[in-house]
Amino acid sequence: MQSMSKINNSGRSITFSGKNENVMNPDPRSRAWVEVDSKVIENNSRVLKNFIGPECLLMAVVKADGYGHGAETVANAALLGGADSLGVATLEEGIQLRNAGLKCQILILGNLINAEELYYSFCWDLIPTISGIREAIICNNIAENKHKKFVIHLKVDTGMTRLGCQCNEVEELISKIDYLENISLKGIYSHLAMADKDLESNMNQSFTQIQLNRFEKVLKDLGKRNKLLCKHLANSAGTLSDRRLHFDMVRVGLSLYGYYPLNDFESDLRLDPALKVKARVTLVREVEKDTGVGYGHFFKTQRKSKLAVVAIGYADGVSRNLSGKISASIDGFLVPQVGAIAMDQMVFDITDKPDIKTGQVLTLLGTDGEVSISPQNWCDLSGSIPWEVLCSFRNRLPRVVT
Ligand SMILES: *Cc1c(COP(=O)(O)O)cnc(C)c1O
């Protein structure tokens, strides 16, 4: 019988049979991979923590597998850098972090609706976001006769028009929750809809200002009761744009990973991107003028050309919308991608850099010598947003943490 072994490849397990594990364990850098520098995350966390000051808590938002960087890696690095708690979107993401040994407060930003989900949230010490009395009552029942109270945060909708109760419902909801004796309401929060856009304009006339006013009104109406609550409103854009949005805690995602929420955002904060996407050349070939390349022959060579086939595709998270638009860096030299991006491969025109050999590594995203390619560069070409670009690298690309 051959032995079955498991290797952990960026959070996913691969089962294979073989006698010698070392031989059977492929180098994650053999095809295409995401490289994450955990020290950079740690430092970004420290920079953000210093920026918000000692009175304000830093929640590191690590949903969607840490925006594609690896939730466990990011969580540990962010906490080392001074983050106080973690934010996730789903119950499973929270459980994954507990299983990884993380002990800090974890807030689930999504809406858990059924008793089973809320029960697991209680068992795993994950804080659910509550938008109404229905879930609050479920929580209260779950914690009945248990040794601890069910800690929750309440969400109020100040203009995102997504989760949260209405502003004018908060007082009544809290007075009802205060009667539920197995619940401990620890926080109240809201979410900004326009903070990144409003960075461009005058904050005082912006929708963010309206949301701030509504949130402050809610808190004022709660009177002394609000003193007992952790109040939070700001995402990355809110955190970087206006200190009045900070309250007791900020929930930072994008900026923790080293990006500014607006294209050419002017900031004294020195945040660095922690992620690189790299892939190897698997074949170099020469073709004649007028040769069609790839599916649909979207590209035809205009001259006798040298092409490099690279082993990364849209199944790895490089959107097909970027076909024929991006470039990658090799030794700080940019080569253009040509033809349709396929599921597993794409082709680069290396006629102007003909010394490239099979096995060499291209940097598609991130810094390579003098060249730096950011998610925003891709978004300018594809109409996406950096958040979406980052969390698309999660399916098949192994993650190498440095
Ligand atoms: C994702 C999320 C954040 C983080 O947003 P960034 O723009 O990435 O900083 C903050 N709060 C909530 C409720 C979120 O869902």
Side-chain angles (χ1 to χ4, degrees):
M1 269 279 290
Q2 285 192 320
S3 67
M4 298 295 284
S5 308
K6 277 193 166 183
I7 54 170
N8 196 307
N9 191 348
S10 69
R12 293 173 292 271
S13 310
I14 295 177
T15 308
F16 65 93
S17 54
K19 291 205 171 95
N20 185 331
E21 289 199 20
N22 291 329
V23 172
M24 292 303 290
N25 193 349
D27 183 346
R29 293 181 184 84
S30 53
R31 181 184 68 92
W33 65 98
V34 165
E35 229 166 75
V36 176
D37 190 334
S38 59
K39 282 276 175 256
V40 169
I41 303 264
E42 182 185 330
N43 196 58
N44 289 341
S45 174
R46 191 169 294 119
V47 166
L48 289 160
K49 181 76 185 171
N50 286 339
F51 174 69
I52 60 178
E55 305 293 304
C56 186
L57 297 171
L58 175 62
M59 170 178 284
V61 179
V62 300
K63 61 192 179 188
D65 206 10
Y67 290 42
H69 295 61
E72 186 184 337
T73 302
V74 174
N76 282 310
L79 292 169
L80 272 177
D84 301 280
S85 64
L86 301 170
V88 296
T90 68
L91 175 65
E92 288 77 8
E93 289 176 340
I95 294 175
Q96 188 201 341
L97 292 172
R98 286 282 181 251
N99 273 324
L102 285 139
K103 304 255 185 300
C104 66
Q105 280 196 4
I106 301 177
L107 176 65
I108 300 176
L109 301 165
N111 218 16
L112 306 185
I113 51 171
N114 66 49
E116 189 193 47
E117 288 177 297
L118 288 163
Y119 174 74
Y120 281 115
S121 163
F122 180 71
C123 296
W124 288 95
D125 247 326
L126 304 166
I127 304 174
T129 293
I130 298 299
S131 292
I133 192 65
R134 180 184 160 275
E135 287 81 8
I137 290 171
I138 296 176
C139 291
N140 189 57
N141 293 341
I142 287 169
E144 193 164 354
N145 299 324
K146 301 287 190 313
H147 59 284
K148 59 175 185 183
K149 293 200 172 194
F150 204 146
V151 174
I152 63 169
H153 280 207
L154 185 71
K155 188 157 190 188
V156 46
D157 179 22
T158 55
M160 176 67 129
T161 320
R162 235 171 41 178
L163 294 181
C165 67
Q166 311 273 5
C167 290
N168 60 14
E169 293 170 351
V170 174
E171 258 189 285
E172 196 191 333
L173 186 54
I174 290 193
S175 64
K176 283 182 183 159
I177 287 174
D178 283 342
Y179 273 105
L180 302 174
E181 46 192 32
N182 308 314
I183 285 188
S184 172
L185 176 64
K186 283 279 167 68
I188 181 166
Y189 77 101
S190 192
H191 193 37
L192 299 170
M194 305 277 283
D196 48 340
K197 297 281 172 305
D198 288 343
L199 282 172
E200 293 168 352
S201 55
N202 181 354
M203 164 79 185
N204 288 326
Q205 288 141 31
S206 67
F207 190 72
T208 303
Q209 179 69 50
I210 292 173
Q211 287 196 267
L212 174 62
N213 294 346
R214 288 176 184 165
F215 193 56
E216 284 182 325
K217 165 107 177 24
V218 164
L219 299 177
K220 187 160 165 272
D221 291 347
L222 288 178
K224 284 207 184 87
R225 183 70 182 80
N226 97 48
K227 299 267 183 308
L228 303 170
L229 300 174
C230 174
K231 301 168 280 294
H232 47 114
L233 177 64
N235 52 4
S236 293
T239 303
L240 299 193
S241 62
D242 194 324
R243 289 185 180 277
R244 292 177 304 151
L245 302 168
H246 289 187
F247 294 92
D248 301 320
M249 179 166 83
V250 295
R251 307 182 304 268
V252 179
L254 193 72
S255 293
L256 179 66
Y257 304 95
Y259 307 99
Y260 300 90
L262 193 75
N263 224 345
D264 26 52
F265 181 64
E266 302 266 335
S267 171
D268 301 334
L269 286 191
R270 204 29 238 282
L271 302 168
D272 291 310
L275 175 140
K276 292 177 186 178
V277 175
K278 297 186 174 182
R280 275 190 208 278
V281 174
T282 53
L283 191 66
V284 173
R285 47 186 304 168
E286 281 176 61
V287 296
E288 294 303 320
K289 184 172 185 251
D290 286 329
T291 305
V293 178
Y295 287 119
H297 282 185
F298 290 130
F299 174 78
K300 274 209 169 69
T301 53
Q302 304 290 302
R303 54 182 174 174
K304 195 170 190 293
S305 300
K306 203 163 188 192
L307 302 176
V309 182
V310 175
I312 186 169
Y314 59 74
D316 299 297
V318 185
S319 169
R320 192 170 172 282
N321 287 331
L322 293 167
S323 293
K325 297 177 181 167
I326 52 172
S327 296
S329 171
I330 183 152
D331 304 330
F333 189 95
L334 284 173
V335 289
Q337 189 272 323
V338 293
I341 292 174
M343 193 183 286
D344 320 306
Q345 338 212 11
M346 59 182 79
V347 175
F348 287 82
D349 183 349
I350 58 167
T351 317
D352 296 328
K353 175 101 173 115
D355 55 333
I356 292 177
K357 304 268 183 306
T358 299
Q360 276 192 274
V361 176
L362 262 62
T363 301
L364 284 91
L365 209 59
T367 310
D368 178 42
E370 300 283 286
V371 174
S372 188
I373 307 167
S374 74
Q376 186 61 53
N377 293 137
W378 284 12
C379 297
D380 295 341
L381 303 166
S382 70
S384 181
I385 53 171
W387 294 263
E388 187 184 35
V389 168
L390 291 171
C391 61
S392 30
F393 305 120
R394 70 194 125 94
N395 301 322
R396 196 168 63 180
L397 286 184
R399 216 173 280 116
V400 177
V401 179
T402 58

